[in-house]
């Protein structure tokens, strides 16, 4: 009978612990960095949210901006090349032999196992 008394004495009251946690639990405040706050405010959670937010976001262009790099843009004249055929390039395809293919597949499986760890 000593064993039963000791077991009852050492028994944990899970109901009391659970009730205490439910009543007194206060989650710790999470401090976000300014970057994280920006990401949280701009995050799109669902497709519906994407649809509703698409009209609120717009791109504004700075008309006063001037590019400091001088870029030459050339127009391609497609009209003068009509009737001329583009030169064809020959593509050579080489197949792996059975041993090479098996070694390749084995290496892929090993890579997949290594990445899964």
């Amino acid at each position: 009978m000593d064993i039963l008394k000791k077991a009852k004495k050492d028994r944990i009251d899970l109901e009391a612990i659970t009730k205490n946690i439910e009543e007194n639990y206060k989650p710790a405040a999470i401090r976000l960095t300014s970057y994280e706050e920006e990401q949280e405010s701009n995050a799109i959670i669902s497709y519906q949210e994407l649809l509703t937010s698409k009209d609120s976001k717009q791109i504004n262009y700075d008309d006063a901006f001037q590019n400091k790099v001088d870029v030459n843009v050339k127009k391609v004249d497609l009209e003068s090349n009509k009737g001329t055929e583009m030169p064809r390039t020959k593509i050579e395809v080489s197949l792996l032999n059975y041993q090479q293919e098996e070694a390749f597949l084995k290496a892929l499986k090993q890579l997949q196992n290594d990445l899964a760890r």
Side-chain angles (χ1 to χ4, degrees):
M1 292 301 263
D2 275 341
I3 296 173
L4 286 176
K5 286 181 183 178
K6 186 174 192 275
K8 286 182 181 178
K9 181 182 170 185
D10 292 341
R11 197 162 121 187
I12 298 173
D13 188 6
L14 289 179
E15 274 187 52
I17 293 172
T18 307
K19 192 173 188 177
N20 186 12
I21 290 173
E22 287 173 351
E23 292 173 357
N24 300 323
Y25 176 72
K26 294 177 184 153
I30 298 173
R31 294 183 185 160
L32 298 177
T33 64
S34 60
Y35 173 77
E36 291 169 331
E37 287 174 359
E38 179 188 349
Q39 293 300 312
E40 281 289 325
S41 66
N42 294 333
I44 295 175
I45 308 298
S46 66
Y47 180 71
Q48 189 62 38
E49 189 177 347
L50 175 65
L51 290 178
T52 55
S53 69
K54 74 178 173 67
D55 295 329
S56 66
K57 308 256 186 218
Q58 64 183 32
I59 298 173
N60 296 321
Y61 295 100
D62 182 6
D63 294 333
F65 175 77
Q66 291 183 353
N67 192 1
K68 298 190 187 305
V69 179
D70 189 24
V71 179
N72 285 333
V73 178
K74 294 183 179 181
K75 183 179 176 184
V76 177
D77 182 15
L78 297 175
E79 294 298 320
S80 65
N81 289 338
K82 280 189 177 178
T84 60
E85 192 171 316
M86 297 294 291
R88 297 187 182 258
T89 58
K90 185 176 181 183
I91 300 174
E92 290 186 29
V93 177
S94 62
L95 300 176
L96 297 174
N97 65 29
Y98 182 77
Q99 287 81 16
Q100 290 173 323
E101 189 172 335
E102 286 294 314
F104 178 72
L105 291 174
K106 186 177 178 182
L108 280 178
K109 286 180 183 177
Q110 182 63 42
L111 176 63
Q112 183 180 20
N113 290 337
D114 291 345
L115 291 175
R117 286 187 212 161

